[in-house]
Amino acid sequence: LQLHHSGRYSCGGQVVSQWKELELVTVTVHRVPLSGVPLSVQPPRGQVALGDHLVLSCLVATGTGPLSFSWHWEGSGALLGTGPHLELRHVGDNNSGQYWCRVSNGDSVAESDPLNVTVL
């Protein structure tokens, strides 16, 4: 089923020479609520050398889309990105801290646990 399949349905048939139609039934298709939003990180464990790059990926275990993503960092109200991946090139000392992603499908919102990134 897709969201556009929502609507009013009926069925009918002919018995002998008489047409019979059943009452209209309303069908509403909903998105599956989001849950289980783990983060993966490269390099492993979120430890990255000064000047290298870091890639964070936001995964969704359960839920249907379309999905929208937002990336966040502790101590900053600024939006860092809006895709399923966040790439930080040439990381500096100021990139250490906790990162997380938030995912929405229009009906529900889920957030990952924060991931601690350490710049070595």
Side-chain angles (χ1 to χ4, degrees), residues 50-65:
L50 187 68
D52 281 353
H53 74 274
L54 174 77
V55 179
L56 300 168
S57 297
C58 190
L59 310 170
V60 178
T62 305
T64 55

Side-chain angles (χ1 to χ4, degrees), residues 8-13 19-25:
R8 295 177 56 91
Y9 292 85
S10 70
C11 67
W19 177 262
K20 273 286 213 199
E21 190 163 310
L22 298 176
E23 191 173 316
L24 283 171
V25 175

Side-chain angles (χ1 to χ4, degrees), residues 39-82:
L39 291 182
S40 68
V41 61
Q42 195 57 256
R45 297 183 310 279
Q47 296 181 343
V48 60
L50 187 68
D52 281 353
H53 74 274
L54 174 77
V55 179
L56 300 168
S57 297
C58 190
L59 310 170
V60 178
T62 305
T64 55
L67 303 176
S68 61
F69 297 85
S70 62
W71 286 94
H72 308 273
W73 177 61
E74 69 174 317
S76 171
L79 180 65
L80 301 177
T82 58

Side-chain angles (χ1 to χ4, degrees), residues 41 46-48 54 56 95-99 115-119:
V41 61
Q47 296 181 343
V48 60
L54 174 77
L56 300 168
N95 292 121
S96 290
Q98 292 189 330
Y99 292 78
L115 176 79
N116 195 45
V117 170
T118 305
V119 178

Side-chain angles (χ1 to χ4, degrees), residues 27-48:
V27 174
T28 306
V29 180
H30 296 279
R31 292 179 176 97
V32 175
L34 299 169
S35 65
V37 181
L39 291 182
S40 68
V41 61
Q42 195 57 256
R45 297 183 310 279
Q47 296 181 343
V48 60

